[in-house]
Amino acid sequence: EEDRQFQNIFQQIAGDDMEINADELRNVLNNVLKKHKDLKTEGFALESCRSMVAVMDTDGSGKINLDEFRHLWDKIKSWQKIFKHYDTDHSGTINSYEMRNAVEDAGFQLNNQLYDIITMRYADRHMNIQFDSFICCFVRLEGMFRAFHAFDKDGDGIIKLNVLEWLQLTMYA
Ligand SMILES: O=C(O)/C(S)=C/c1c[nH]c2cc(Br)ccc12
Ligand SMILES: [Ca+2]
């Protein structure tokens, strides 16, 4: 039953092409945000939604279909819980220190250099991370880990890419 409801929602957002583009994703995410006053943010920028579509577009259609959207939605649902858990002062942002714990809670094992990179890339000038940046960071982390494991056929933690394969991975993200 809940799934049928989900399909209906998806159908309304996607329109007759049955796929969601960046504009449509931006509308649905920002509409949901209105109902979550504790997630204070200016909302998702179009560029962020373009990146999320690119990362989640596993079949290379240029947009996200029902399955790709369901995966994204379930991830955002679980990641927003982590965000709220670490936003202890309900400022609507989490600081770079809390971000380390949030990343680990989400199951990503990174190193110090990567935590610094994430802060540089996603934090605002007060070194705090807004909700929309938080989600974009996690979408990218999950997508990049997924892409690596797809290439790492024998699971030895090493992949071999020529420059064009590398560019295909890094440019469409
Ligand atoms: O607080 C909750 O129980 C839920 S279901 C939150 C959300 C579930 N999907 C979301 C997407 C965005 Br964007 C923001 C919040 C949520
Ligand atoms: Ca797609």
Side-chain angles (χ1 to χ4, degrees):
E1 165 52 25
E2 203 232 323
D3 193 60
R4 208 169 49 75
Q5 211 182 359
F6 189 86
Q7 292 211 23
N8 285 346
I9 297 171
F10 178 81
Q11 164 81 41
Q12 279 159 25
I13 308 161
D16 42 18
D17 73 343
M18 282 305 275
E19 290 218 84
I20 289 182
N21 64 30
D23 288 299
E24 291 160 341
L25 179 63
R26 184 178 189 208
N27 289 337
V28 65
L29 292 182
N30 286 337
N31 281 335
V32 173
L33 273 181
K34 286 185 190 125
K35 298 187 200 95
H36 293 267
K37 289 286 164 253
D38 46 342
L39 296 171
K40 284 191 289 298
T41 162
E42 300 97 51
F44 287 87
L46 179 62
E47 209 39 47
S48 303
C49 296
R50 286 173 64 89
S51 175
M52 288 193 279
V53 167
V55 167
M56 301 308 285
D57 173 28
T58 43
D59 68 0
S61 70
K63 296 176 183 175
I64 48 180
N65 61 31
L66 178 61
D67 292 333
E68 295 161 341
F69 181 68
R70 184 182 280 111
H71 178 87
L72 174 62
W73 188 257
D74 292 343
K75 287 290 173 188
I76 293 178
K77 206 166 166 178
S78 65
W79 292 333
Q80 64 86 30
K81 286 192 185 84
I82 295 178
F83 184 90
K84 285 177 180 168
H85 176 259
Y86 287 100
D87 179 17
T88 43
D89 61 356
H90 302 292
S91 63
T93 63
I94 61 171
N95 66 41
S96 49
Y97 174 75
E98 290 159 340
M99 185 60 171
R100 274 172 180 265
N101 301 326
V103 166
E104 271 165 31
D105 262 12
F108 299 112
Q109 300 301 324
L110 306 182
N111 60 21
N112 287 336
Q113 199 175 355
L114 271 167
Y115 287 120
D116 293 344
I117 284 171
I118 283 177
T119 302
M120 254 186 317
R121 175 62 181 74
Y122 293 100
D124 62 20
R125 59 189 183 292
H126 308 297
M127 301 288 273
N128 291 320
I129 295 174
Q130 313 256 344
F131 178 71
D132 54 301
S133 302
F134 177 88
I135 293 297
C136 289
C137 175
F138 275 59
V139 167
R140 206 176 183 86
L141 270 174
E142 198 254 358
M144 287 302 135
F145 269 107
R146 206 162 12 99
F148 185 94
H149 293 131
F151 274 103
D152 183 17
K153 303 254 184 298
D154 59 3
D156 68 349
I158 309 281
I159 60 172
K160 193 166 184 236
L161 298 177
N162 65 38
V163 65
L164 292 180
E165 286 165 333
W166 164 259
L167 288 169
Q168 279 161 23
L169 201 63
T170 53
M171 289 305 287
Y172 188 48

